[in-house]
Amino acid sequence: MKIKEFTLMQKLLFCVNSLVLDRAFNEIAYYLLLHYNEIGELSLKKIMTDCYTSSSTIRRFCQSIGYENFSDLRAAKARNQEDQCLIATHNWRLGRYHPRTLHDQLSSLTYRIGRTVDMEQLRRLAQAFVCADCSILFAIRPYALFLEEFQCQMIALGKTVYIFEEIRQYEPLIQKIGPKINNVIVSPTGGIMAALGNDAEKLPGMRSVLICPDYSQQPALAELLTIYQEVVPLKIQTHDIDYMELYGKYAVAYLFEILFGEILRTLEAGK
């Protein structure tokens, strides 16, 4: 896997944790992580001043992680609007970080998913992962970060898996891979579904989406879902986006663990 194949958040985290990158690149990445929610308002001049660096260094940093320049990177962030600090503070004030609340909510989420998931549907999805030359997971933070474990598991099995947050930036790579692609949109809140829009029709191969069950109450989203071969609902009974930010990532991780088990079963059966 190459750094350019990660989402913006993953790219910045990789740069911060890397011991082989230029020190200036590490510092720029760390600065952008510290100001992640303000990237849309940051100016090139301010980054130059605060990081004691030059515009050419910032441009080279952006190009090293897949963007033409800082404006291109900022545009990528604009397509993933969120204020992590406000979300976390709101969840804390509601008591959602309390150990007992976390225990009860996570137990309830995993129980509903484990009890109600359509295993035949999940087996079809597992078969798609096994048969594809490459699988692409479209997801934004926090789901993208939690999907890295699944990505590592699949790579260990010799199966290529990418995690992207949009189509446009990676369209040349997607076209280069070929038609045997398994595309999975991981969008429990429906946010990335709206971001992909009609671009999703450009995706070759199988198209699947994991989403909350309330899409049937949203006509525009329900119509958008008609282009997908498989729609896997997550049994999360809430419309609260901040709740999803905290607990939705665990629901996604749990479902992908079940899915990985089905992938292993499929591989064993094919031997």
Side-chain angles (χ1 to χ4, degrees), residues 167-181:
I167 294 176
R168 289 180 292 274
Q169 183 181 348
Y170 305 102
E171 191 170 352
L173 174 60
I174 294 171
Q175 297 302 324
K176 184 178 179 180
I177 293 172
K180 291 186 65 177
I181 301 180

Side-chain angles (χ1 to χ4, degrees), residues 107-119 233 235 237 254-255 258:
S107 295
S108 176
L109 278 176
T110 53
Y111 172 73
R112 280 198 295 267
I113 293 173
R115 185 173 64 88
T116 61
V117 65
D118 185 338
M119 292 306 297
K235 300 300 181 181
Q237 306 300 325
Y254 178 69
L255 187 64
I258 299 175

Side-chain angles (χ1 to χ4, degrees), residues 51-223:
C51 295
Y52 303 98
T53 190
S54 65
S55 60
S56 60
T57 300
I58 296 173
R59 184 177 65 253
R60 287 190 293 108
F61 165 77
C62 293
Q63 291 173 345
S64 73
I65 59 176
Y67 305 104
E68 286 297 321
N69 47 45
F70 180 65
S71 295
D72 191 24
L73 182 150
R74 190 165 49 191
K77 174 62 178 67
R79 290 189 285 271
N80 179 14
Q81 289 289 344
E82 64 180 31
D83 189 325
Q84 181 60 30
C85 184
L86 287 178
I87 292 171
T89 302
H90 179 254
N91 280 327
W92 173 75
R93 286 173 177 164
L94 291 177
R96 290 173 174 168
Y97 287 104
H98 189 277
R100 183 65 191 182
T101 303
L102 283 168
H103 172 272
D104 292 346
Q105 292 296 328
L106 294 179
S107 295
S108 176
L109 278 176
T110 53
Y111 172 73
R112 280 198 295 267
I113 293 173
R115 185 173 64 88
T116 61
V117 65
D118 185 338
M119 292 306 297
E120 286 301 318
Q121 187 178 46
L122 218 59
R123 290 186 183 110
R124 290 194 296 271
L125 192 55
Q127 185 69 38
F129 272 99
V130 170
C131 294
D133 291 337
C134 170
S135 293
I136 299 176
L137 305 177
F138 290 94
I140 58 176
R141 198 216 59 78
Y143 312 111
L145 299 177
F146 271 66
L147 289 171
E148 286 185 17
E149 175 63 19
F150 176 80
Q151 182 185 38
C152 292
Q153 290 172 322
M154 292 298 291
I155 291 174
L157 295 178
K159 298 293 181 181
T160 302
V161 174
Y162 297 121
I163 300 177
F164 296 158
E165 59 187 339
E166 59 178 315
I167 294 176
R168 289 180 292 274
Q169 183 181 348
Y170 305 102
E171 191 170 352
L173 174 60
I174 294 171
Q175 297 302 324
K176 184 178 179 180
I177 293 172
K180 291 186 65 177
I181 301 180
N182 174 39
N183 301 285
V184 179
I185 290 82
V186 184
S187 185
T189 62
I192 199 170
M193 292 290 300
L196 291 175
N198 294 329
D199 283 345
E201 295 182 340
K202 301 176 184 178
L203 295 173
M206 181 175 178
R207 297 187 296 270
S208 305
V209 59
L210 308 171
I211 197 165
C212 285
D214 62 356
Y215 65 85
S216 59
Q217 305 302 318
Q218 303 177 40
L221 189 55
E223 181 179 353

Side-chain angles (χ1 to χ4, degrees), residues 208-245:
S208 305
V209 59
L210 308 171
I211 197 165
C212 285
D214 62 356
Y215 65 85
S216 59
Q217 305 302 318
Q218 303 177 40
L221 189 55
E223 181 179 353
L224 182 61
L225 291 173
T226 59
I227 70 172
Y228 296 93
Q229 288 95 330
E230 297 283 351
V231 177
V232 183
L234 291 178
K235 300 300 181 181
I236 304 176
Q237 306 300 325
T238 179
H239 297 267
D240 185 344
I241 300 300
D242 289 359
Y243 177 98
M244 287 298 304
E245 175 84 5

Side-chain angles (χ1 to χ4, degrees), residues 12-64:
L12 296 178
L13 288 171
F14 176 88
C15 291
V16 167
N17 296 324
S18 175
L19 299 177
V20 297
L21 292 182
D22 185 287
R23 180 178 177 181
F25 285 11
N26 290 104
E27 292 178 352
I28 294 171
Y30 191 65
Y31 180 85
L32 292 177
L33 278 175
L34 288 176
H35 300 83
Y36 192 74
N37 290 329
E38 296 86 43
I39 283 179
E41 289 73 46
L42 283 178
S43 67
L44 187 62
K45 183 177 181 180
K46 180 167 177 57
I47 300 175
M48 291 168 56
T49 300
D50 292 350
C51 295
Y52 303 98
T53 190
S54 65
S55 60
S56 60
T57 300
I58 296 173
R59 184 177 65 253
R60 287 190 293 108
F61 165 77
C62 293
Q63 291 173 345
S64 73

